[in-house]
């Protein structure tokens, strides 16, 4: 069975606990559960990881080179700053879908640029936590 990695960056451990007007009421555990169910229905395994540390996310992307067929990633604020995460994703061979819960293009201009988008097959923004499910479905299509 192919496995997809669901990676979340800094502060996303607070999902559902703060700023629900921007990020909604679902917790990260809720998101992981619904993505696991969706992946399973599509014949995929799912491994989820969240970290507030850039290097830990990079290590997980390296691990994914051997263990994952595809990656769904919400890099959080590292989206807008991290050439290192882009470089790590460029060393991963499978499809990558970038997810943002909020519509970053409706927010501050510093959120409009993403290093990760230079690598991603697809970018989802502003669909709330449903965006993660859309990303898992898209990966299933790309991996079929
Ligand atoms: O919209 C997104 O998913 C973001 O990736 C979220 C990042 C932000 O820096 C990006 O520009 C867009 C921030 C994640 C913070 O998550 C929180 C969740 C709940 C409460 C507080 C923060």
């Amino acid at each position: 069975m192919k496995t997809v990695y669901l990676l979340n960056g800094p502060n996303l451990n607070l999902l559902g606990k703060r700023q629900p007007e921007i990020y909604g009421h679902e917790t990260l555990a809720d998101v992981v559960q619904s993505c696991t169910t969706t992946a399973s229905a599509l014949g995929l395994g799912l491994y989820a990881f969240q970290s507030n540390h850039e290097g830990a996310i990079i290590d997980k992307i390296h691990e994914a080179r051997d263990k994952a067929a595809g990656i769904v990633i919400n890099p959080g604020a590292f989206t807008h700053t991290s050439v290192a995460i882009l470089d790590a994703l460029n060393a991963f061979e499978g499809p990558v879908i970038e997810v943002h819960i909020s519509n970053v293009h409706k927010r501050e201009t510093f959120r409009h640029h993403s290093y990760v988008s230079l690598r991603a097959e697809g970018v989802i923004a502003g669909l709330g936590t449903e965006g993660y499910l859309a990303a898992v479905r898209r990966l299933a299509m790309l991996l079929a």
Side-chain angles (χ1 to χ4, degrees):
M1 184 193 268
K2 289 177 183 168
T3 297
V4 300
Y5 269 30
L6 170 61
L7 305 179
N8 278 284
N11 299 308
L12 287 158
N13 53 311
L14 298 177
L15 213 54
K17 297 172 183 169
R18 298 269 188 287
Q19 294 182 268
E21 67 287 359
I22 302 177
Y23 299 112
H25 290 279
E26 270 202 316
T27 65
L28 187 56
D30 295 332
V31 169
V32 170
Q33 192 172 42
S34 48
C35 285
T36 302
T37 303
T38 298
S40 165
L42 295 164
L44 295 171
L46 185 132
Y47 169 80
F49 178 77
Q50 184 276 332
S51 179
N52 296 320
H53 304 277
E54 190 174 13
I57 294 165
I58 291 165
D59 287 344
K60 254 331 144 183
I61 296 168
H62 291 175
E63 183 184 291
R65 281 162 46 78
D66 292 326
K67 298 197 172 158
I71 295 177
V72 174
I73 184 166
N74 182 346
F78 292 147
T79 305
H80 319 297
T81 62
S82 182
V83 176
I85 288 178
L86 171 63
D87 287 346
L89 288 170
N90 278 332
F92 174 77
E93 286 184 3
V96 174
I97 307 291
E98 176 183 352
V99 173
H100 299 289
I101 299 166
S102 65
N103 179 0
V104 283
H105 300 290
K106 209 177 171 189
R107 301 181 67 189
E108 304 95 322
T109 51
F110 65 81
R111 296 186 204 275
H112 296 181
H113 177 262
S114 164
Y115 285 102
V116 170
S117 295
L118 289 165
R119 166 64 181 85
E121 269 66 37
V123 183
I124 295 167
L127 301 193
T129 50
E130 270 182 63
Y132 288 101
L133 300 176
V136 170
R137 287 193 200 101
R138 183 63 186 160
L139 273 190
M141 292 277 292
L142 294 173
L143 294 171

